[in-house]
Amino acid sequence: MKLSRFNNAVGYKDKVVLYNSRSNNFLLVDPMLQELMEAGKTSSNIEELANYHPQFYKALQTKGFIVEETLDEIQAVKDWSARVDGNESTYHLVINPTMNCNFKCWYCYESHIKDSKMSEFTLDNIRKHIVSVLQNKPGLKFFHIDWFGGEPLLFFDKVIDPILDYGTKICQEYGVAFSTSFTTNAFLINPAMIERFKLYKITDFQITLDGNRDTHNKVRFVNAKRGSYDEIVANVAALCTAGFHVTQRINYTKNTLDNLESIADDLQQVPGEFRRNISISLHKVWQVEDETLNDRVTELIQYFISAGFYAAYGGTPDNVKHSCYADKKNHATINYNGEVYKCTARNFSSETREGLLNDDGSITWNEKFEERMNIKFKNKPCLSCPIMPICNGGCSQVALENKGEDYCVYNFKDYLKKEMVLNKFLETLNSKALKIA
């Protein structure tokens, strides 16, 4: 037996959090036990620990902190990644009906194109694409469409509703489960639209607030005198009351963390029995260099939980076992003009497209697609890092943007990695009781 190369330790109050990034298991222990485990690095026989502290040894073995001597842990992670990214049972299609948006948020990375809209020709090719996938993937069990943009609900009647109606019916014919989700600012949602939503299996609405009422209205506004906060919160409440799940993303910076409790107070308009339909997810605006204020964010999460909502940090990585959709073989993002991409977190320019949607519904991928699908596990620093199984240098997009360079998404700073591990532990602590060894 040997100590796993993916063991991590970080202080928490008067204890030590032990975390194995391959097994994704935690142990909360006394510092003395951490020292006992670390002594195994120089011991000729780690199993001596079994005689000294059999209970602790068993916990370490059960949770993956101690592994078989012959286990190649890096290859095990690669094998897991291949299974996840090559999964043939699910097809994930992202569709951008438009690159136009009714807001102009300062941090948005998209180039908003005012007159962009999907033509009937492209709409028909998407229908053909759905059929092509159903016919050519015999192992398919789930077909999921995610609506993105731009603001997708600008074209709910002309694009979204027709495709959802068609996708629901054709997938039923092929015996494939069909579902959909939305990334939307939610400002345009109305009662008639909600009634249409009820016809489809919608798994989630991701809806963003940029802080409390005052800060949000300075970022997302209709005009100089009219913000959007109250309308969006009211629409979130209406969706939840109608039985839909909403991921309420709250973007924050160091300067906007104050008074975020008021969001929970405003969401009290959601009746208590429907609050389980909201998940609060706090995300630091990535374009800003501010360090995350752990104590303040933890305090906010606890406040949302006390108000009856589920709440967690957003952005703690799990890039292998739950990799980004863009890393997966069975995924495509079709833009309003028929150009095809993988990543949705970058600007949609013709120069960066990875494929084209053909008239028969097939996709012709280019060399950028092939490069993306073979970019993982090429960064040497990742291969010796204790958090590689959950981080691995970020997603395929990050790997592409750093091709040929040794890089680290945490800037080679161990304290940032430990901060992430602690955040992940706190997420787990909020969701279930941890065994204290």
Side-chain angles (χ1 to χ4, degrees), residues 22 75-89 320-321 323 328-329 377:
R22 188 173 75 89
Q75 188 59 50
V77 174
K78 290 181 179 179
D79 292 343
W80 191 299
S81 177
R83 290 193 297 271
V84 170
D85 292 347
N87 180 18
E88 294 285 349
S89 67
V320 175
K321 295 180 181 178
S323 60
K328 293 177 171 62
K329 178 182 177 182
F377 302 103

Side-chain angles (χ1 to χ4, degrees), residues 17 56 67 84 96 158 179 265 293 338 376 428:
V17 174
F56 184 46
V67 298
V84 170
N96 301 331
K158 294 183 178 180
S179 61
D265 299 339
L293 302 179
K376 285 189 173 182
T428 306

Side-chain angles (χ1 to χ4, degrees), residues 70-352:
T70 57
L71 177 63
D72 184 340
E73 291 187 276
I74 291 180
Q75 188 59 50
V77 174
K78 290 181 179 179
D79 292 343
W80 191 299
S81 177
R83 290 193 297 271
V84 170
D85 292 347
N87 180 18
E88 294 285 349
S89 67
T90 300
Y91 192 83
H92 183 189
L93 178 63
V94 179
I95 301 175
N96 301 331
T98 178
M99 277 293 104
N100 193 14
C101 186
N102 48 333
F103 297 136
K104 298 293 183 289
C105 305
W106 66 265
Y107 55 78
C108 186
Y109 50 82
E110 303 292 357
S111 296
H112 294 158
I113 304 173
K114 184 176 180 180
D115 296 323
S116 60
K117 59 182 179 180
M118 184 171 290
S119 68
E120 188 61 41
F121 178 75
T122 301
L123 190 69
D124 190 50
N125 286 344
I126 290 177
R127 293 190 185 97
K128 293 176 183 177
H129 179 65
I130 295 173
V131 174
S132 176
V133 170
L134 293 170
Q135 290 179 340
N136 293 299
K137 296 184 180 295
L140 195 68
K141 297 179 180 179
F142 307 97
F143 197 115
H144 184 83
I145 293 180
D146 190 13
W147 299 97
F148 198 71
E151 170 49 48
L153 293 180
L154 286 168
F155 290 90
F156 177 77
D157 292 332
K158 294 183 178 180
V159 176
I160 296 176
D161 203 22
I163 290 180
L164 289 184
D165 181 64
Y166 181 79
T168 299
K169 293 174 181 177
I170 195 67
C171 284
Q172 187 174 19
E173 290 181 19
Y174 280 84
V176 172
F178 181 77
S179 61
T180 191
S181 58
F182 292 81
T183 299
T184 171
N185 58 45
F187 186 78
L188 300 175
I189 291 175
N190 56 53
M193 196 178 289
I194 290 177
E195 289 304 307
R196 294 298 298 172
F197 289 155
K198 292 178 181 179
L199 300 178
Y200 309 116
K201 183 181 178 182
I202 299 176
T203 58
D204 185 69
F205 290 86
Q206 179 174 279
I207 299 170
T208 300
L209 291 174
D210 286 288
N212 61 17
R213 179 181 285 102
D214 290 340
T215 58
H216 175 95
N217 285 340
K218 292 175 182 177
V219 177
R220 301 190 180 213
F221 49 85
V222 178
N223 54 50
K225 296 183 178 180
R226 183 185 176 192
S228 62
Y229 181 90
D230 290 327
E231 289 91 339
I232 291 173
V233 170
N235 286 338
V236 168
L239 287 171
C240 293
T241 305
F244 297 107
H245 181 268
V246 172
T247 297
Q248 183 69 79
R249 176 174 174 140
I250 301 176
N251 290 338
Y252 69 87
T253 67
K254 180 180 179 180
N255 297 324
T256 62
L257 276 173
D258 291 339
N259 301 317
L260 286 186
E261 288 90 347
S262 63
I263 297 176
D265 299 339
D266 295 333
L267 286 172
Q268 294 295 323
Q269 63 185 279
V270 178
E273 66 269 29
F274 296 108
R275 287 180 198 165
R276 67 183 184 276
N277 292 334
I278 302 181
S279 297
I280 306 294
S281 183
L282 280 81
H283 289 255
K284 182 173 75 70
V285 176
W286 62 270
Q287 291 92 335
V288 176
E289 295 294 332
D290 295 338
E291 295 292 342
T292 301
L293 302 179
N294 274 333
D295 292 343
R296 174 58 179 151
V297 175
T298 300
E299 182 181 282
L300 287 167
I301 288 174
Q302 293 300 330
Y303 187 87
F304 281 108
I305 291 172
S306 69
F309 306 104
Y310 172 79
Y313 295 96
T316 56
D318 197 357
N319 295 329
V320 175
K321 295 180 181 178
H322 297 89
S323 60
C324 176
Y325 48 81
D327 295 354
K328 293 177 171 62
K329 178 182 177 182
N330 266 6
H331 162 266
T333 295
I334 300 178
N335 205 14
Y336 73 95
N337 57 5
E339 294 181 333
V340 185
Y341 303 80
K342 296 289 286 182
C343 179
T344 62
R346 297 296 185 272
N347 189 25
F348 293 96
S349 65
S350 295
E351 292 75 20
T352 61

Side-chain angles (χ1 to χ4, degrees), residues 401-436:
E401 292 170 357
N402 290 278
K403 182 182 177 182
E405 301 289 336
D406 288 349
Y407 73 97
C408 173
V409 296
Y410 294 97
N411 296 319
F412 298 101
K413 296 179 180 178
D414 287 342
Y415 81 89
L416 291 178
K417 297 177 186 179
K418 289 181 180 295
E419 181 180 274
M420 181 277 296
V421 169
L422 182 60
N423 288 345
K424 203 170 187 71
F425 168 74
L426 292 172
E427 285 182 14
T428 306
L429 196 64
N430 286 328
S431 62
K432 64 180 181 180
L434 287 172
K435 178 180 178 182
I436 299 178

